[in-house]
Amino acid sequence: SFSLQAKMSRPVQARRLEGIDKNIWVEFVKLAATYSKVNLGQGFPDFPAPDFLTEAFMRALSGGNHMLHQYTRAFGHPPLVKVLAQFFEKLLGRDVDPMTNVMVTVGAYQALFCCFQALVDEGDEVIIIEPFFDCYEPMVKMAGGTPVFVPLRPNPPKDGKLMSSADWQLDPAELASKFSERTKAIVLNSPNNPLGKVFSRGELGLIAELCVKHDVLCISDEVYEWLVYDGKQHIRIASLQGMWDRTVIIGSAGKTFSATGWKVGWVVGPNRLLQHLRTVHQNSVYHCATIAQEAVAQGFQRELMLYGKPESYFVQLPKELQQKRDWLVQSLDGVGMKPIIPEGTYFLVADISQFKSDVPEVPNSDEPYDYRFAKWMVKNKGLAAIPLSAFYSEAHKNNYTNFIRFCFAKEEATLKAANDILQKWKQEKTS
Ligand code: PMP
């Protein structure tokens, strides 16, 4: 009596997904795959992960321990949580217990998801500093929370010099005004994607003071912790007075060891917070790939031994990336696409306001200029980048449509090819 063709008529989508279905990466990754000759869009290296890491993976895969092909401890493979605890004891100057203060996740992405699901309730407000890694907003909303945005405000240098990510700053009064009794957490991302800003001790001190004053948690996304340039120092907010107890530190082996496809991440923090993240983890993902964890553990053991020495990957990688940053800065500056020099990360934001005449207007389109520009550039020049306004809330994105983000974690040949495209473009414009 019932038809096989019977269509469902009830809504199938859970209400928590309303308004978060759009995702910049789906569209721009596809565009880059279809049109780009040089892809400086999505954030991953096109150079190999270090040999010591891939060799560790091979040993784990084909060595004598067949148990590495089975589930491991749900909250983190013991060798990995142990070495992470040792590492963070050094970095934070405090005791870190491998079993209760560290948890391994499927990349930093799942670490973020666990934080929001475990710590944010219906009606809670979460402060997000703009521009931000785009998934923070939908993740807060999925947890039932309300994102509250506060922008970094650009102060261009008066001497005509190129801008630096350090010139983008929080207005202290504006930041303070966002804290209320509904505020549950603030998300801090230093070094910051997309700007490359490395928050100073003063800026972190201000955030910490407000967190303590209003009894607010800090979700500290530090996936680019080792990618800091020009002798700058990455300061961990958890090491500031009163902050350990209220901070979850998030890290990523993908960014740390140039192996984003492995999707190994972690959280470090007090047990009173991590116990709730473990509840989310055990009821969603539960186990992360054992072999990848084993190899990352060996990578960290090497780095612990070489800590601060010139052979350390954490010393070498930022040196190499700083050179790549400088090449891209030069290429962009040379054609009038003004770069904002990043202090950290492998991203660089450039000002495209001088290129408006290159990109045809689309009648009746409300698509922001940076989106139109990035699409036009990949289709017509074969160079892929990401529009900056994708890293802003709906309410503020229209104020930031004159910039695009490039990723410079690329082989020298890739950056040269990008330079060739830009040079040719410049010649076409002037001839
Ligand atoms: N946080 C930030 C700021 C990122 O840029 C990224 C990756 N682009 C992540 C988290 C996610 O990292 P993972 O690949 O380890 O999940």
Side-chain angles (χ1 to χ4, degrees):
S1 64
F2 46 69
S3 152
L4 286 175
Q5 273 98 45
K7 289 238 167 66
M8 286 187 77
S9 57
R10 65 196 293 176
V12 291
Q13 177 200 322
R15 273 193 306 278
R16 77 179 75 87
L17 302 189
E18 276 166 20
I20 63 164
D21 49 343
K22 271 199 241 129
N23 178 301
I24 166 89
W25 304 107
V26 174
E27 184 178 17
F28 277 85
V29 167
K30 193 167 163 207
L31 278 169
T34 313
Y35 298 105
S36 77
K37 294 192 201 84
V38 180
N39 186 358
L40 304 188
Q42 218 185 346
F44 58 83
D46 73 348
F47 47 79
D51 288 345
F52 68 82
L53 193 78
T54 48
E55 282 160 13
F57 195 99
M58 302 287 267
R59 276 198 304 278
L61 184 72
S62 53
N65 186 359
H66 66 272
M67 291 313 287
L68 292 177
H69 292 273
Q70 305 307 326
Y71 294 134
T72 181
R73 179 175 167 270
F75 304 120
H77 188 48
L80 181 54
V81 289
K82 278 183 196 152
V83 73
L84 280 169
Q86 280 176 293
F87 221 100
F88 274 87
E89 280 189 346
K90 220 178 180 49
L91 299 175
L92 298 169
R94 58 163 306 121
D95 288 347
V96 177
D97 178 67
M99 299 300 151
T100 57
N101 297 139
V102 183
M103 182 175 86
V104 177
T105 55
V106 180
Y109 230 100
Q110 193 222 338
L112 288 161
F113 184 77
C114 285
C115 285
F116 295 121
Q117 287 295 318
L119 306 173
V120 175
D121 254 329
E122 202 80 34
D124 284 346
E125 292 185 356
V126 177
I127 298 174
I128 297 176
I129 300 168
E130 293 177 304
F132 58 93
F133 180 47
D134 60 296
C135 73
Y136 301 156
E137 181 181 3
M139 282 199 194
V140 168
K141 286 182 172 162
M142 264 195 288
T146 305
V148 172
F149 300 98
V150 58
L152 287 165
R153 298 201 175 271
N155 303 295
K158 302 216 166 37
D159 51 12
K161 272 207 239 153
L162 287 175
M163 225 189 199
S164 146
S165 56
D167 296 321
W168 291 60
Q169 288 172 0
L170 289 165
D171 174 333
E174 189 177 20
L175 176 66
S177 76
K178 303 293 175 181
F179 283 76
S180 75
E181 70 271 18
R182 288 183 302 279
T183 312
K184 183 69 182 287
I186 181 166
V187 186
L188 172 69
N189 173 215
S190 180
N192 160 277
N193 173 12
L195 274 177
K197 179 181 172 67
V198 177
F199 284 67
S200 69
R201 190 173 286 278
E203 290 169 314
L204 296 174
L206 174 70
I207 295 169
E209 213 173 277
L210 288 164
C211 285
V212 171
K213 181 172 169 200
H214 295 274
D215 200 16
V216 162
L217 299 170
C218 180
I219 298 169
S220 185
D221 180 341
E222 303 183 27
V223 299
Y224 300 104
E225 61 193 318
W226 299 106
L227 310 184
V228 176
Y229 312 125
D230 306 319
K232 284 243 156 70
Q233 207 199 341
H234 168 58
I235 297 163
R236 292 172 173 79
I237 197 164
S239 67
L240 270 51
Q241 180 131 37
M243 289 307 287
W244 163 258
D245 208 36
R246 58 180 72 251
T247 301
V248 181
I249 302 170
I250 294 175
S252 162
K255 307 293 175 176
T256 298
F257 289 113
S258 310
T260 57
W262 290 21
K263 292 296 292 184
V264 175
W266 55 84
V267 289
V268 174
N271 188 43
R272 73 177 195 100
L273 300 181
L274 258 61
Q275 64 181 339
H276 305 301
L277 273 65
R278 289 197 291 271
T279 307
V280 176
H281 182 67
Q282 80 197 5
N283 291 304
S284 50
V285 168
Y286 209 20
H287 290 91
C288 308
T290 309
I291 286 182
Q293 292 190 67
E294 171 70 20
V296 171
Q298 292 191 25
F300 267 107
Q301 280 153 13
R302 176 192 186 270
E303 287 304 303
L304 196 57
M305 231 161 52
L306 297 176
Y307 187 72
K309 302 216 169 99
E311 311 91 280
S312 157
Y313 191 65
F314 298 169
V315 172
Q316 283 175 353
L317 181 64
K319 251 198 207 155
E320 281 167 29
L321 285 170
Q322 184 172 319
Q323 172 72 73
K324 291 173 192 295
R325 175 199 68 172
D326 293 345
W327 283 332
L328 186 59
V329 163
Q330 242 174 27
S331 299
L332 293 169
D333 194 30
V335 298
M337 214 181 265
K338 286 220 168 56
I340 298 165
I341 299 171
E343 306 154 273
T345 77
Y346 42 52
F347 301 111
L348 187 162
V349 170
D351 186 332
I352 48 166
S353 46
Q354 287 180 22
F355 285 70
K356 290 218 163 105
S357 59
D358 291 55
V359 183
E361 289 282 343
V362 182
N364 305 323
S365 160
D366 56 3
E367 195 169 38
Y369 166 57
D370 57 344
Y371 273 71
R372 280 194 292 117
F373 182 89
K375 287 182 186 176
W376 177 88
M377 186 168 75
V378 72
K379 288 183 186 165
N380 293 275
K381 304 291 174 189
L383 180 59
I386 304 291
L388 184 72
S389 65
F391 300 89
Y392 280 87
S393 60
E394 213 43 52
H396 297 158
K397 58 168 36 125
N398 285 334
N399 301 333
Y400 298 91
T401 59
N402 278 338
F403 303 95
I404 52 173
R405 189 202 76 174
F406 292 98
C407 170
F408 57 83
K410 304 294 169 188
E411 298 271 20
E412 190 176 343
T414 312
L415 295 171
K416 285 213 165 104
N419 185 56
D420 291 346
I421 290 175
L422 292 167
Q423 287 302 330
K424 193 161 164 246
W425 187 355
K426 185 182 170 188
Q427 276 161 17
E428 284 162 7
K429 274 160 82 86
T430 49
S431 62

